[in-house]
Amino acid sequence: MAKMDRKWVVLCSAAVAAVYATGYFSTEAEATKTTLRQHPPINIQTNADNPSVAESKNQPKKSLYKNGTFTGMGENRRGSIEVAVTIQNDKITDVEISDFAMHYSESDVVGLPDEVLQNQNAQVSNVSGATYSTQAFQDAVQDALYQAQNS
Amino acid sequence: MTAKKWLKTPKGYVTFALIIYLLIASIGSKDIMGIKNAFVAVFVSVIVDILCRTVKKRKWSMPDSAIITGLIISLILSTTSSVGVITATAVMAILSKYLLVYKKKPIFNPAAIGLLLSVLFFHSGQSWWGAFGDLPAWTIAFLLMGGYAITNRVNKYPQIFAFFGTSFLLLLLIGYFNIGGETDALRPPFINATLFFGFFMLTDPPTSPGKDKDQVIFGILTAVAGTLIYGLFGGLTYLYIGLVIGNLYSFLKKRLASKASMSRSNVIKNRGLQTFR
């Protein structure tokens, strides 16, 4: 069979590149919006019972974290994970994956919230073959803990 | 065949490119695990290939296609994949080459089948790290250089232009009309996966058509099926499912052509008999 003429190869390559570039730039705004959505600028404490009052009345020693449920986000090139971490008296009492938007199966990281409860910190053991999901989860918990930190 | 001659064959080109990618990606990510995984995948693929050949009583030949399958698997599976998952993926890939056949040729791309089954059975993490998914965007240039060299060698330009053109056009429409809310596919690491897939898996000569017209239909079909799966369900299996559908088209086409030529030869035979009578 005859090989494609070099001129046609260049022409077709240029056409495919043009379609790609149009797609890339026309979805740029949407991609930026997604990134912004994944980095909420405000403190997302949801259930704290007036932490400043609770601190001064009940805890003579300054606690490390505020009480309440805090949302954290972890993301990488393979997607994002949002977690809700509940803290009571400096103890992590509940961790939930509130949004799983990775391009992998959620079942890979389903055991990680329990590990956080056990370890009482964001460090979890890496799930073999699910490094990106593990990383995103760990970053999300760390982000939530950062949100919960007393200044 | 001398090593120099072998390097000039399509399999030589692909093997050389994949080994270079393995080295670049390993150096770029400062992770030696990928090379270790490549040894495991290639070793298992070659052993299973030799066993299958022995069982099927086929002539001895160099297991270079098994080496390619092993390399592709190791470049796609995450570097943190367990030895068990890598072994199982390689075994499934090579078995498909000998079990799902038509006229002794594989119907489906072995690496694609192995990786697809690996996701379904083991939820294997597939990072496409060997397509430089975690490296800076300029490394895509390596994919394009190797990809064009192979496409030119196997004469599959109509197919890859049809595949990439249709994929990008559909992704543009999905993004423009905001269907499914997915904008990732045109960006790294997904674009790396699409390019690697198009250049190194789609162009596999035994599982893709040869004629220009069939190549175009094959490319469009694979792109449409894969992109629809991506738009509807997301995930990472969309490329493989697209290729499975493309491979099925190629298989049906060969089967129909074979049946047509058989009935033609029967007619000629019958005419010959009538003349003889």
Side-chain angles (χ1 to χ4, degrees), chain B residues 157-193:
Chain B
Y157 279 120
Q159 184 176 296
I160 64 136
F161 287 138
F163 172 72
F164 288 135
T166 311
S167 292
F168 296 155
L169 184 67
L170 289 175
L171 289 169
L172 186 162
L173 293 174
I174 286 178
Y176 188 77
F177 293 107
N178 207 8
I179 308 162
E182 297 285 356
T183 54
D184 295 339
L186 291 169
R187 289 167 173 78
F190 299 94
I191 185 64
N192 303 56

PDB file of all heavy atoms in Angstrom, chain B residues 157-193:
ATOM      1  N   TYR B 157      -1.044   6.243   9.135  1.00  0.00           N
ATOM      2  CA  TYR B 157      -1.441   7.641   9.277  1.00  0.00           C
ATOM      3  C   TYR B 157      -2.961   7.855   9.213  1.00  0.00           C
ATOM      4  O   TYR B 157      -3.518   8.569  10.047  1.00  0.00           O
ATOM      5  CB  TYR B 157      -0.755   8.513   8.218  1.00  0.00           C
ATOM      6  CG  TYR B 157       0.661   8.903   8.577  1.00  0.00           C
ATOM      7  CD1 TYR B 157       1.725   8.549   7.774  1.00  0.00           C
ATOM      8  CD2 TYR B 157       0.926   9.634   9.732  1.00  0.00           C
ATOM      9  CE1 TYR B 157       3.028   8.901   8.107  1.00  0.00           C
ATOM     10  CE2 TYR B 157       2.215   9.990  10.073  1.00  0.00           C
ATOM     11  CZ  TYR B 157       3.266   9.632   9.257  1.00  0.00           C
ATOM     12  OH  TYR B 157       4.549   9.978   9.589  1.00  0.00           O
ATOM     13  N   PRO B 158      -3.656   7.246   8.224  1.00  0.00           N
ATOM     14  CA  PRO B 158      -5.107   7.498   8.166  1.00  0.00           C
ATOM     15  C   PRO B 158      -5.802   7.160   9.482  1.00  0.00           C
ATOM     16  O   PRO B 158      -6.691   7.877   9.943  1.00  0.00           O
ATOM     17  CB  PRO B 158      -5.575   6.568   7.039  1.00  0.00           C
ATOM     18  CG  PRO B 158      -4.370   6.328   6.205  1.00  0.00           C
ATOM     19  CD  PRO B 158      -3.213   6.350   7.149  1.00  0.00           C
ATOM     20  N   GLN B 159      -5.332   6.056  10.091  1.00  0.00           N
ATOM     21  CA  GLN B 159      -5.943   5.602  11.338  1.00  0.00           C
ATOM     22  C   GLN B 159      -5.722   6.574  12.491  1.00  0.00           C
ATOM     23  O   GLN B 159      -6.658   6.928  13.199  1.00  0.00           O
ATOM     24  CB  GLN B 159      -5.330   4.253  11.686  1.00  0.00           C
ATOM     25  CG  GLN B 159      -5.923   3.592  12.888  1.00  0.00           C
ATOM     26  CD  GLN B 159      -5.291   2.231  13.061  1.00  0.00           C
ATOM     27  OE1 GLN B 159      -5.439   1.352  12.216  1.00  0.00           O
ATOM     28  NE2 GLN B 159      -4.572   2.054  14.126  1.00  0.00           N
ATOM     29  N   ILE B 160      -4.470   7.015  12.669  1.00  0.00           N
ATOM     30  CA  ILE B 160      -4.224   7.899  13.819  1.00  0.00           C
ATOM     31  C   ILE B 160      -4.834   9.291  13.604  1.00  0.00           C
ATOM     32  O   ILE B 160      -5.326   9.891  14.551  1.00  0.00           O
ATOM     33  CB  ILE B 160      -2.730   7.975  14.238  1.00  0.00           C
ATOM     34  CG1 ILE B 160      -1.882   8.578  13.162  1.00  0.00           C
ATOM     35  CG2 ILE B 160      -2.175   6.658  14.749  1.00  0.00           C
ATOM     36  CD1 ILE B 160      -0.915   9.586  13.749  1.00  0.00           C
ATOM     37  N   PHE B 161      -4.846   9.768  12.362  1.00  0.00           N
ATOM     38  CA  PHE B 161      -5.473  11.074  12.139  1.00  0.00           C
ATOM     39  C   PHE B 161      -6.978  10.980  12.396  1.00  0.00           C
ATOM     40  O   PHE B 161      -7.575  11.890  12.981  1.00  0.00           O
ATOM     41  CB  PHE B 161      -5.191  11.586  10.719  1.00  0.00           C
ATOM     42  CG  PHE B 161      -3.771  12.052  10.528  1.00  0.00           C
ATOM     43  CD1 PHE B 161      -3.067  11.747   9.376  1.00  0.00           C
ATOM     44  CD2 PHE B 161      -3.131  12.789  11.522  1.00  0.00           C
ATOM     45  CE1 PHE B 161      -1.744  12.159   9.203  1.00  0.00           C
ATOM     46  CE2 PHE B 161      -1.814  13.206  11.358  1.00  0.00           C
ATOM     47  CZ  PHE B 161      -1.125  12.891  10.190  1.00  0.00           C
ATOM     48  N   ALA B 162      -7.582   9.884  11.952  1.00  0.00           N
ATOM     49  CA  ALA B 162      -9.025   9.699  12.186  1.00  0.00           C
ATOM     50  C   ALA B 162      -9.294   9.594  13.687  1.00  0.00           C
ATOM     51  O   ALA B 162     -10.247  10.203  14.203  1.00  0.00           O
ATOM     52  CB  ALA B 162      -9.512   8.439  11.469  1.00  0.00           C
ATOM     53  N   PHE B 163      -8.442   8.855  14.394  1.00  0.00           N
ATOM     54  CA  PHE B 163      -8.642   8.667  15.836  1.00  0.00           C
ATOM     55  C   PHE B 163      -8.456   9.974  16.606  1.00  0.00           C
ATOM     56  O   PHE B 163      -9.348  10.392  17.354  1.00  0.00           O
ATOM     57  CB  PHE B 163      -7.679   7.598  16.360  1.00  0.00           C
ATOM     58  CG  PHE B 163      -7.698   7.478  17.859  1.00  0.00           C
ATOM     59  CD1 PHE B 163      -8.787   6.906  18.511  1.00  0.00           C
ATOM     60  CD2 PHE B 163      -6.643   7.962  18.628  1.00  0.00           C
ATOM     61  CE1 PHE B 163      -8.817   6.817  19.900  1.00  0.00           C
ATOM     62  CE2 PHE B 163      -6.669   7.877  20.005  1.00  0.00           C
ATOM     63  CZ  PHE B 163      -7.753   7.301  20.649  1.00  0.00           C
ATOM     64  N   PHE B 164      -7.308  10.623  16.393  1.00  0.00           N
ATOM     65  CA  PHE B 164      -7.043  11.857  17.152  1.00  0.00           C
ATOM     66  C   PHE B 164      -8.025  12.965  16.748  1.00  0.00           C
ATOM     67  O   PHE B 164      -8.542  13.674  17.614  1.00  0.00           O
ATOM     68  CB  PHE B 164      -5.604  12.338  16.919  1.00  0.00           C
ATOM     69  CG  PHE B 164      -4.568  11.478  17.597  1.00  0.00           C
ATOM     70  CD1 PHE B 164      -3.415  11.093  16.926  1.00  0.00           C
ATOM     71  CD2 PHE B 164      -4.739  11.049  18.910  1.00  0.00           C
ATOM     72  CE1 PHE B 164      -2.459  10.292  17.550  1.00  0.00           C
ATOM     73  CE2 PHE B 164      -3.792  10.252  19.537  1.00  0.00           C
ATOM     74  CZ  PHE B 164      -2.648   9.877  18.855  1.00  0.00           C
ATOM     75  N   GLY B 165      -8.275  13.097  15.453  1.00  0.00           N
ATOM     76  CA  GLY B 165      -9.191  14.141  14.981  1.00  0.00           C
ATOM     77  C   GLY B 165     -10.573  13.981  15.595  1.00  0.00           C
ATOM     78  O   GLY B 165     -11.145  14.934  16.135  1.00  0.00           O
ATOM     79  N   THR B 166     -11.108  12.756  15.541  1.00  0.00           N
ATOM     80  CA  THR B 166     -12.451  12.510  16.080  1.00  0.00           C
ATOM     81  C   THR B 166     -12.467  12.682  17.602  1.00  0.00           C
ATOM     82  O   THR B 166     -13.392  13.306  18.146  1.00  0.00           O
ATOM     83  CB  THR B 166     -12.925  11.078  15.710  1.00  0.00           C
ATOM     84  OG1 THR B 166     -12.709  10.889  14.323  1.00  0.00           O
ATOM     85  CG2 THR B 166     -14.379  10.867  16.043  1.00  0.00           C
ATOM     86  N   SER B 167     -11.449  12.132  18.277  1.00  0.00           N
ATOM     87  CA  SER B 167     -11.399  12.250  19.743  1.00  0.00           C
ATOM     88  C   SER B 167     -11.397  13.715  20.166  1.00  0.00           C
ATOM     89  O   SER B 167     -12.194  14.128  21.011  1.00  0.00           O
ATOM     90  CB  SER B 167     -10.123  11.610  20.301  1.00  0.00           C
ATOM     91  OG  SER B 167     -10.150  10.243  20.124  1.00  0.00           O
ATOM     92  N   PHE B 168     -10.501  14.504  19.566  1.00  0.00           N
ATOM     93  CA  PHE B 168     -10.382  15.908  19.979  1.00  0.00           C
ATOM     94  C   PHE B 168     -11.637  16.697  19.628  1.00  0.00           C
ATOM     95  O   PHE B 168     -12.054  17.564  20.396  1.00  0.00           O
ATOM     96  CB  PHE B 168      -9.141  16.554  19.335  1.00  0.00           C
ATOM     97  CG  PHE B 168      -7.842  15.924  19.779  1.00  0.00           C
ATOM     98  CD1 PHE B 168      -6.701  15.980  18.980  1.00  0.00           C
ATOM     99  CD2 PHE B 168      -7.747  15.262  20.999  1.00  0.00           C
ATOM    100  CE1 PHE B 168      -5.502  15.402  19.395  1.00  0.00           C
ATOM    101  CE2 PHE B 168      -6.554  14.668  21.417  1.00  0.00           C
ATOM    102  CZ  PHE B 168      -5.428  14.733  20.618  1.00  0.00           C
ATOM    103  N   LEU B 169     -12.235  16.372  18.483  1.00  0.00           N
ATOM    104  CA  LEU B 169     -13.458  17.078  18.084  1.00  0.00           C
ATOM    105  C   LEU B 169     -14.585  16.777  19.083  1.00  0.00           C
ATOM    106  O   LEU B 169     -15.289  17.679  19.536  1.00  0.00           O
ATOM    107  CB  LEU B 169     -13.869  16.653  16.669  1.00  0.00           C
ATOM    108  CG  LEU B 169     -15.072  17.384  16.084  1.00  0.00           C
ATOM    109  CD1 LEU B 169     -14.740  18.847  15.838  1.00  0.00           C
ATOM    110  CD2 LEU B 169     -15.502  16.748  14.759  1.00  0.00           C
ATOM    111  N   LEU B 170     -14.729  15.507  19.445  1.00  0.00           N
ATOM    112  CA  LEU B 170     -15.791  15.128  20.391  1.00  0.00           C
ATOM    113  C   LEU B 170     -15.526  15.731  21.772  1.00  0.00           C
ATOM    114  O   LEU B 170     -16.452  16.188  22.442  1.00  0.00           O
ATOM    115  CB  LEU B 170     -15.908  13.604  20.484  1.00  0.00           C
ATOM    116  CG  LEU B 170     -16.490  12.913  19.253  1.00  0.00           C
ATOM    117  CD1 LEU B 170     -16.436  11.404  19.411  1.00  0.00           C
ATOM    118  CD2 LEU B 170     -17.926  13.349  19.011  1.00  0.00           C
ATOM    119  N   LEU B 171     -14.264  15.745  22.182  1.00  0.00           N
ATOM    120  CA  LEU B 171     -13.935  16.326  23.488  1.00  0.00           C
ATOM    121  C   LEU B 171     -14.174  17.835  23.489  1.00  0.00           C
ATOM    122  O   LEU B 171     -14.597  18.407  24.501  1.00  0.00           O
ATOM    123  CB  LEU B 171     -12.481  16.020  23.859  1.00  0.00           C
ATOM    124  CG  LEU B 171     -12.224  14.554  24.225  1.00  0.00           C
ATOM    125  CD1 LEU B 171     -10.736  14.265  24.324  1.00  0.00           C
ATOM    126  CD2 LEU B 171     -12.917  14.183  25.532  1.00  0.00           C
ATOM    127  N   LEU B 172     -13.913  18.458  22.332  1.00  0.00           N
ATOM    128  CA  LEU B 172     -14.217  19.896  22.186  1.00  0.00           C
ATOM    129  C   LEU B 172     -15.716  20.128  22.396  1.00  0.00           C
ATOM    130  O   LEU B 172     -16.119  21.017  23.139  1.00  0.00           O
ATOM    131  CB  LEU B 172     -13.786  20.343  20.798  1.00  0.00           C
ATOM    132  CG  LEU B 172     -13.835  21.812  20.364  1.00  0.00           C
ATOM    133  CD1 LEU B 172     -12.945  21.995  19.155  1.00  0.00           C
ATOM    134  CD2 LEU B 172     -15.204  22.331  20.035  1.00  0.00           C
ATOM    135  N   LEU B 173     -16.538  19.281  21.746  1.00  0.00           N
ATOM    136  CA  LEU B 173     -17.993  19.435  21.844  1.00  0.00           C
ATOM    137  C   LEU B 173     -18.457  19.172  23.278  1.00  0.00           C
ATOM    138  O   LEU B 173     -19.296  19.912  23.811  1.00  0.00           O
ATOM    139  CB  LEU B 173     -18.697  18.478  20.872  1.00  0.00           C
ATOM    140  CG  LEU B 173     -18.478  18.782  19.382  1.00  0.00           C
ATOM    141  CD1 LEU B 173     -19.084  17.689  18.519  1.00  0.00           C
ATOM    142  CD2 LEU B 173     -19.066  20.140  19.016  1.00  0.00           C
ATOM    143  N   ILE B 174     -17.901  18.126  23.908  1.00  0.00           N
ATOM    144  CA  ILE B 174     -18.262  17.807  25.294  1.00  0.00           C
ATOM    145  C   ILE B 174     -17.914  18.995  26.202  1.00  0.00           C
ATOM    146  O   ILE B 174     -18.695  19.399  27.044  1.00  0.00           O
ATOM    147  CB  ILE B 174     -17.524  16.515  25.766  1.00  0.00           C
ATOM    148  CG1 ILE B 174     -18.158  15.283  25.124  1.00  0.00           C
ATOM    149  CG2 ILE B 174     -17.548  16.388  27.288  1.00  0.00           C
ATOM    150  CD1 ILE B 174     -17.492  13.964  25.480  1.00  0.00           C
ATOM    151  N   GLY B 175     -16.726  19.561  25.983  1.00  0.00           N
ATOM    152  CA  GLY B 175     -16.290  20.693  26.798  1.00  0.00           C
ATOM    153  C   GLY B 175     -17.113  21.935  26.510  1.00  0.00           C
ATOM    154  O   GLY B 175     -17.546  22.632  27.423  1.00  0.00           O
ATOM    155  N   TYR B 176     -17.368  22.190  25.216  1.00  0.00           N
ATOM    156  CA  TYR B 176     -18.085  23.406  24.825  1.00  0.00           C
ATOM    157  C   TYR B 176     -19.517  23.401  25.357  1.00  0.00           C
ATOM    158  O   TYR B 176     -20.006  24.397  25.864  1.00  0.00           O
ATOM    159  CB  TYR B 176     -18.088  23.534  23.294  1.00  0.00           C
ATOM    160  CG  TYR B 176     -18.625  24.845  22.804  1.00  0.00           C
ATOM    161  CD1 TYR B 176     -17.846  26.002  22.873  1.00  0.00           C
ATOM    162  CD2 TYR B 176     -19.915  24.936  22.296  1.00  0.00           C
ATOM    163  CE1 TYR B 176     -18.344  27.214  22.442  1.00  0.00           C
ATOM    164  CE2 TYR B 176     -20.424  26.151  21.856  1.00  0.00           C
ATOM    165  CZ  TYR B 176     -19.634  27.280  21.928  1.00  0.00           C
ATOM    166  OH  TYR B 176     -20.133  28.483  21.507  1.00  0.00           O
ATOM    167  N   PHE B 177     -20.177  22.259  25.220  1.00  0.00           N
ATOM    168  CA  PHE B 177     -21.575  22.177  25.685  1.00  0.00           C
ATOM    169  C   PHE B 177     -21.653  21.719  27.146  1.00  0.00           C
ATOM    170  O   PHE B 177     -22.739  21.462  27.658  1.00  0.00           O
ATOM    171  CB  PHE B 177     -22.387  21.253  24.769  1.00  0.00           C
ATOM    172  CG  PHE B 177     -22.562  21.819  23.390  1.00  0.00           C
ATOM    173  CD1 PHE B 177     -21.876  21.294  22.312  1.00  0.00           C
ATOM    174  CD2 PHE B 177     -23.395  22.909  23.175  1.00  0.00           C
ATOM    175  CE1 PHE B 177     -22.020  21.831  21.027  1.00  0.00           C
ATOM    176  CE2 PHE B 177     -23.550  23.456  21.901  1.00  0.00           C
ATOM    177  CZ  PHE B 177     -22.857  22.917  20.832  1.00  0.00           C
ATOM    178  N   ASN B 178     -20.470  21.562  27.768  1.00  0.00           N
ATOM    179  CA  ASN B 178     -20.391  21.204  29.182  1.00  0.00           C
ATOM    180  C   ASN B 178     -21.182  19.937  29.510  1.00  0.00           C
ATOM    181  O   ASN B 178     -21.937  19.878  30.472  1.00  0.00           O
ATOM    182  CB  ASN B 178     -20.888  22.379  30.034  1.00  0.00           C
ATOM    183  CG  ASN B 178     -20.257  22.355  31.400  1.00  0.00           C
ATOM    184  OD1 ASN B 178     -19.346  21.563  31.649  1.00  0.00           O
ATOM    185  ND2 ASN B 178     -20.753  23.180  32.287  1.00  0.00           N
ATOM    186  N   ILE B 179     -20.999  18.911  28.682  1.00  0.00           N
ATOM    187  CA  ILE B 179     -21.686  17.642  28.906  1.00  0.00           C
ATOM    188  C   ILE B 179     -20.815  16.798  29.831  1.00  0.00           C
ATOM    189  O   ILE B 179     -19.665  16.520  29.506  1.00  0.00           O
ATOM    190  CB  ILE B 179     -21.923  16.871  27.570  1.00  0.00           C
ATOM    191  CG1 ILE B 179     -22.605  17.779  26.563  1.00  0.00           C
ATOM    192  CG2 ILE B 179     -22.735  15.601  27.802  1.00  0.00           C
ATOM    193  CD1 ILE B 179     -22.493  17.305  25.128  1.00  0.00           C
ATOM    194  N   GLY B 180     -21.357  16.427  30.960  1.00  0.00           N
ATOM    195  CA  GLY B 180     -20.607  15.572  31.881  1.00  0.00           C
ATOM    196  C   GLY B 180     -19.601  16.325  32.744  1.00  0.00           C
ATOM    197  O   GLY B 180     -19.053  15.786  33.686  1.00  0.00           O
ATOM    198  N   GLY B 181     -19.390  17.603  32.445  1.00  0.00           N
ATOM    199  CA  GLY B 181     -18.508  18.430  33.268  1.00  0.00           C
ATOM    200  C   GLY B 181     -17.058  17.993  33.262  1.00  0.00           C
ATOM    201  O   GLY B 181     -16.302  18.311  34.171  1.00  0.00           O
ATOM    202  N   GLU B 182     -16.644  17.273  32.228  1.00  0.00           N
ATOM    203  CA  GLU B 182     -15.264  16.798  32.188  1.00  0.00           C
ATOM    204  C   GLU B 182     -14.419  17.677  31.266  1.00  0.00           C
ATOM    205  O   GLU B 182     -14.744  17.841  30.104  1.00  0.00           O
ATOM    206  CB  GLU B 182     -15.209  15.352  31.682  1.00  0.00           C
ATOM    207  CG  GLU B 182     -15.918  14.351  32.571  1.00  0.00           C
ATOM    208  CD  GLU B 182     -15.132  14.032  33.832  1.00  0.00           C
ATOM    209  OE1 GLU B 182     -14.003  14.523  33.973  1.00  0.00           O
ATOM    210  OE2 GLU B 182     -15.661  13.300  34.676  1.00  0.00           O
ATOM    211  N   THR B 183     -13.362  18.240  31.796  1.00  0.00           N
ATOM    212  CA  THR B 183     -12.475  19.045  30.956  1.00  0.00           C
ATOM    213  C   THR B 183     -11.051  18.493  31.001  1.00  0.00           C
ATOM    214  O   THR B 183     -10.146  19.052  30.420  1.00  0.00           O
ATOM    215  CB  THR B 183     -12.452  20.516  31.440  1.00  0.00           C
ATOM    216  OG1 THR B 183     -12.121  20.516  32.830  1.00  0.00           O
ATOM    217  CG2 THR B 183     -13.774  21.205  31.239  1.00  0.00           C
ATOM    218  N   ASP B 184     -10.889  17.389  31.712  1.00  0.00           N
ATOM    219  CA  ASP B 184      -9.549  16.845  31.944  1.00  0.00           C
ATOM    220  C   ASP B 184      -8.921  16.206  30.707  1.00  0.00           C
ATOM    221  O   ASP B 184      -7.709  16.209  30.568  1.00  0.00           O
ATOM    222  CB  ASP B 184      -9.593  15.758  33.028  1.00  0.00           C
ATOM    223  CG  ASP B 184      -9.994  16.321  34.372  1.00  0.00           C
ATOM    224  OD1 ASP B 184      -9.845  17.534  34.547  1.00  0.00           O
ATOM    225  OD2 ASP B 184     -10.445  15.541  35.214  1.00  0.00           O
ATOM    226  N   ALA B 185      -9.734  15.616  29.847  1.00  0.00           N
ATOM    227  CA  ALA B 185      -9.205  14.744  28.790  1.00  0.00           C
ATOM    228  C   ALA B 185      -8.253  15.451  27.828  1.00  0.00           C
ATOM    229  O   ALA B 185      -7.446  14.803  27.184  1.00  0.00           O
ATOM    230  CB  ALA B 185     -10.337  14.100  28.019  1.00  0.00           C
ATOM    231  N   LEU B 186      -8.356  16.773  27.721  1.00  0.00           N
ATOM    232  CA  LEU B 186      -7.477  17.487  26.799  1.00  0.00           C
ATOM    233  C   LEU B 186      -6.212  17.992  27.501  1.00  0.00           C
ATOM    234  O   LEU B 186      -5.417  18.712  26.917  1.00  0.00           O
ATOM    235  CB  LEU B 186      -8.226  18.656  26.159  1.00  0.00           C
ATOM    236  CG  LEU B 186      -9.343  18.251  25.187  1.00  0.00           C
ATOM    237  CD1 LEU B 186     -10.200  19.446  24.819  1.00  0.00           C
ATOM    238  CD2 LEU B 186      -8.771  17.614  23.929  1.00  0.00           C
ATOM    239  N   ARG B 187      -6.083  17.616  28.773  1.00  0.00           N
ATOM    240  CA  ARG B 187      -4.932  18.097  29.559  1.00  0.00           C
ATOM    241  C   ARG B 187      -4.137  16.934  30.131  1.00  0.00           C
ATOM    242  O   ARG B 187      -4.663  15.840  30.267  1.00  0.00           O
ATOM    243  CB  ARG B 187      -5.461  18.974  30.702  1.00  0.00           C
ATOM    244  CG  ARG B 187      -6.000  20.276  30.208  1.00  0.00           C
ATOM    245  CD  ARG B 187      -6.798  21.061  31.201  1.00  0.00           C
ATOM    246  NE  ARG B 187      -7.094  22.362  30.598  1.00  0.00           N
ATOM    247  CZ  ARG B 187      -8.043  22.559  29.688  1.00  0.00           C
ATOM    248  NH1 ARG B 187      -8.799  21.561  29.299  1.00  0.00           N
ATOM    249  NH2 ARG B 187      -8.235  23.748  29.152  1.00  0.00           N
ATOM    250  N   PRO B 188      -2.844  17.196  30.472  1.00  0.00           N
ATOM    251  CA  PRO B 188      -2.081  16.128  31.107  1.00  0.00           C
ATOM    252  C   PRO B 188      -2.749  15.709  32.430  1.00  0.00           C
ATOM    253  O   PRO B 188      -3.337  16.564  33.090  1.00  0.00           O
ATOM    254  CB  PRO B 188      -0.721  16.776  31.386  1.00  0.00           C
ATOM    255  CG  PRO B 188      -0.645  17.947  30.466  1.00  0.00           C
ATOM    256  CD  PRO B 188      -2.060  18.428  30.308  1.00  0.00           C
ATOM    257  N   PRO B 189      -2.709  14.460  32.834  1.00  0.00           N
ATOM    258  CA  PRO B 189      -2.024  13.339  32.202  1.00  0.00           C
ATOM    259  C   PRO B 189      -2.877  12.600  31.171  1.00  0.00           C
ATOM    260  O   PRO B 189      -2.412  11.657  30.558  1.00  0.00           O
ATOM    261  CB  PRO B 189      -1.751  12.420  33.388  1.00  0.00           C
ATOM    262  CG  PRO B 189      -2.921  12.642  34.296  1.00  0.00           C
ATOM    263  CD  PRO B 189      -3.289  14.085  34.138  1.00  0.00           C
ATOM    264  N   PHE B 190      -4.148  13.069  30.966  1.00  0.00           N
ATOM    265  CA  PHE B 190      -5.050  12.331  30.069  1.00  0.00           C
ATOM    266  C   PHE B 190      -4.660  12.460  28.604  1.00  0.00           C
ATOM    267  O   PHE B 190      -4.780  11.512  27.845  1.00  0.00           O
ATOM    268  CB  PHE B 190      -6.501  12.783  30.302  1.00  0.00           C
ATOM    269  CG  PHE B 190      -6.939  12.504  31.702  1.00  0.00           C
ATOM    270  CD1 PHE B 190      -6.838  13.471  32.689  1.00  0.00           C
ATOM    271  CD2 PHE B 190      -7.391  11.251  32.065  1.00  0.00           C
ATOM    272  CE1 PHE B 190      -7.194  13.197  34.000  1.00  0.00           C
ATOM    273  CE2 PHE B 190      -7.748  10.966  33.369  1.00  0.00           C
ATOM    274  CZ  PHE B 190      -7.648  11.941  34.341  1.00  0.00           C
ATOM    275  N   ILE B 191      -4.191  13.643  28.238  1.00  0.00           N
ATOM    276  CA  ILE B 191      -3.776  13.814  26.836  1.00  0.00           C
ATOM    277  C   ILE B 191      -2.543  12.932  26.555  1.00  0.00           C
ATOM    278  O   ILE B 191      -2.402  12.368  25.468  1.00  0.00           O
ATOM    279  CB  ILE B 191      -3.526  15.322  26.497  1.00  0.00           C
ATOM    280  CG1 ILE B 191      -3.208  15.498  25.019  1.00  0.00           C
ATOM    281  CG2 ILE B 191      -2.429  15.937  27.317  1.00  0.00           C
ATOM    282  CD1 ILE B 191      -4.320  15.129  24.076  1.00  0.00           C
ATOM    283  N   ASN B 192      -1.683  12.784  27.572  1.00  0.00           N
ATOM    284  CA  ASN B 192      -0.524  11.894  27.420  1.00  0.00           C
ATOM    285  C   ASN B 192      -1.007  10.466  27.160  1.00  0.00           C
ATOM    286  O   ASN B 192      -0.476   9.765  26.302  1.00  0.00           O
ATOM    287  CB  ASN B 192       0.331  11.885  28.691  1.00  0.00           C
ATOM    288  CG  ASN B 192       0.813  13.251  29.077  1.00  0.00           C
ATOM    289  OD1 ASN B 192       0.017  14.160  29.261  1.00  0.00           O
ATOM    290  ND2 ASN B 192       2.112  13.421  29.197  1.00  0.00           N
ATOM    291  N   ALA B 193      -2.023  10.055  27.940  1.00  0.00           N
ATOM    292  CA  ALA B 193      -2.570   8.704  27.792  1.00  0.00           C
ATOM    293  C   ALA B 193      -3.141   8.521  26.396  1.00  0.00           C
ATOM    294  O   ALA B 193      -2.893   7.503  25.732  1.00  0.00           O
ATOM    295  CB  ALA B 193      -3.646   8.459  28.841  1.00  0.00           C
TER     296      ALA B 193
END
